[in-house]
Amino acid sequence: MHEMTEQWAKEQNEVTIHVFSIQGLFDSLSEDVAYDQNLIIMAILAVGIYTFIALGNCSPMHCRCLVALTGLICVMLAYTCGFGFMFICGGEQTGVHTLIPFLLIGIGVDDMFVMCNAVDQTDLNQPAFTRIHKALGHAGPAITVTSLTNALAF
């Protein structure tokens, strides 16, 4: 069919024919996703590196590299579990789903920074349990409200 339209288009000067098919649309979308996949990986690595630099200070007292690593692992697990649940329910992946890692990393990294800042604002002379209890009591409602808002919006 494609060869016939190309032959006819060569014979005509005023008319151009473009053949549209669903398979062609899916092929084009797959090519776009494959092209963007490298950019997505680079962006995720850039956010991960920024998180390690911002949370992993040179001070041994405030070094939170493990917190950054754990937060990024939680984001990856959330992404994997969300897609697994979607596939179990019979959903299909589309091109829009390639944007979800950016959203998840943005929300997850933001919550890590909020919790670390809340811990920094507590008294260093108190035991760790008391400091974390007060920090999560202060930051927990803000994180819950933003998480509920994001869940309803997306």
Side-chain angles (χ1 to χ4, degrees):
M1 175 80 177
H2 187 65
E3 292 83 19
M4 289 175 40
T5 57
E6 285 183 5
Q7 179 65 26
W8 190 78
K10 287 179 185 177
E11 295 171 2
Q12 301 296 323
N13 292 332
E14 293 86 26
V15 178
T16 304
I17 295 179
H18 297 282
V19 177
F20 174 78
S21 68
I22 297 298
Q23 185 61 40
L25 180 66
F26 284 134
D27 291 344
S28 174
L29 188 62
S30 296
E31 288 175 12
D32 290 343
V33 169
Y35 175 74
D36 292 340
Q37 192 168 14
N38 291 335
L39 295 175
I40 292 169
I41 290 171
M42 288 174 36
I44 291 171
L45 286 175
V47 171
I49 290 169
Y50 171 75
T51 304
F52 274 100
I53 290 171
L55 292 178
N57 295 335
C58 293
S59 167
M61 182 69 153
H62 292 95
C63 183
R64 295 189 175 106
C65 289
L66 188 59
V67 172
L69 179 65
T70 305
L72 292 173
I73 288 173
C74 285
V75 169
M76 288 182 349
L77 287 174
Y79 181 71
T80 306
C81 291
F83 267 101
F85 182 71
M86 181 187 72
F87 290 141
I88 287 173
C89 292
E92 295 182 10
Q93 183 177 1
T94 63
V96 176
H97 291 120
T98 58
L99 300 175
I100 291 175
F102 296 115
L103 181 66
L104 288 176
I105 285 183
I107 294 168
V109 168
D110 179 53
D111 291 345
M112 280 192 300
F113 283 113
V114 168
M115 285 188 278
C116 288
N117 186 24
V119 171
D120 286 342
Q121 292 177 1
T122 60
D123 185 16
L124 289 175
N125 296 326
Q126 294 179 342
F129 178 80
T130 306
R131 290 182 66 207
I132 292 174
H133 183 267
K134 286 184 179 181
L136 292 180
H138 179 70
I143 292 170
T144 303
V145 168
T146 57
S147 296
L148 288 175
T149 304
N150 289 327
L152 291 174
F154 300 107

